[in-house]
Amino acid sequence: MASEPEESSDRAAALGIQGAGRSIVVALIAADGSHKHAIMARLTAQQLPVRDIADAVHALCLLHGRQPGIIDHALARNSQPAAQAWLEVAVEGFAVERALLAKLASAAGPLPSTPGQAESEAAVASQRHALDMLAQSDRTGCAIGAAVALVSDWAAMRQIMEAAARRFGIEPPAYALPLAAETETIVAQVAENPAVERAMAFGVQQVLAQHRGLWDLLEARTSARDRQ
């Protein structure tokens, strides 16, 4: 697995980071992130069937592979100067991840035959719509919370993508999303009052809930294929 690059003073300066801190937002991600889901061990296993890794890649591509996405919407609507540089770096970094997703989806080929395919596609499309609405919320802090959740939770998705890249003979690019420490500091700076922090926490919770729903769906699809 590729790891996040080491933090440097140049990157910290570019992101406008001045202090440090944690909040309930960071605690939510630690407690409910995708790394907690049981399917993660299967999707990153060395001997994972290609059909399962292909299914996961296509699902991630459907949920997060289109532009604009959560972080793009959050940047477009941002009214909090403390988050601006972090969002700009996150947008650039996620563009790299989106390109890798597209490359992996192409290498994976068509979706594996699975019972209930139409219903599955409709479920993921509904999740995508919910995330789009969340990232365009007028509630101060909500969209940034959603962007923070995606960036923080993406480390688990990256593990799946790197497992797929190994199977398909693709060299993944360097991880370019903001570091966990940078994100935690931005959270502390942006959560300037309890109302904003609650809105950020709501955005985080909703993104993590949609991700859990995706993993539950993929788990059910894996079981359905195993029964065929």
Side-chain angles (χ1 to χ4, degrees):
M1 169 189 170
S3 60
E4 292 179 341
E6 292 184 359
E7 183 174 3
S8 69
S9 58
D10 288 343
R11 277 179 59 79
L15 287 161
I17 290 175
Q18 299 172 346
R22 287 179 63 89
S23 74
I24 190 173
V25 174
V26 179
L28 282 169
I29 294 166
D32 297 328
S34 293
H35 65 286
K36 293 283 190 177
H37 201 286
I39 201 173
M40 283 297 148
R42 180 182 178 103
L43 291 178
T44 55
Q46 194 168 15
Q47 300 304 320
L48 178 70
V50 171
R51 64 184 186 178
D52 292 348
I53 195 70
D55 202 29
V57 166
H58 281 293
L60 281 173
C61 202
L62 180 58
L63 188 63
H64 290 303
R66 290 185 295 172
Q67 191 177 20
I70 289 176
I71 308 172
D72 305 285
H73 287 309
L75 176 61
R77 303 174 74 86
N78 181 46
S79 61
Q80 295 171 283
Q84 185 69 20
W86 181 91
L87 284 168
E88 290 172 355
V89 171
V91 163
E92 292 180 5
F94 203 78
V96 174
E97 299 300 300
R98 190 184 290 117
L100 175 58
L101 258 183
K103 192 172 183 178
L104 292 172
S106 177
L111 277 166
S113 177
T114 309
Q117 181 61 43
E119 292 83 353
S120 295
E121 290 183 4
V124 179
S126 177
Q127 289 180 314
R128 167 77 189 202
H129 178 71
L131 291 175
D132 282 345
M133 294 301 99
L134 184 70
Q136 297 177 76
S137 171
D138 290 328
R139 184 180 176 188
T140 301
C142 184
I144 293 175
V148 162
L150 178 56
V151 168
S152 300
D153 209 32
W154 195 256
M157 281 73 151
R158 191 37 130 89
Q159 291 185 47
I160 296 171
M161 292 162 66
E162 289 178 356
R166 288 192 296 270
R167 295 298 293 273
F168 302 139
I170 294 171
E171 182 66 29
Y175 194 80
L177 287 172
L179 306 176
E182 296 167 342
T183 300
E184 290 182 17
T185 301
I186 290 301
V187 166
Q189 291 179 353
V190 172
E192 54 197 26
N193 59 59
V196 173
E197 185 173 52
R198 284 194 298 271
M200 290 177 69
F202 177 78
V204 170
Q205 288 174 314
Q206 294 304 305
V207 169
L208 297 183
Q210 296 299 337
H211 286 171
R212 286 196 303 273
L214 181 69
W215 307 133
D216 288 345
L217 175 64
L218 288 176
E219 196 169 49
R221 285 171 58 80
T222 298
S223 297
R225 286 192 297 272
D226 289 345
R227 291 193 299 268
Q228 284 184 312

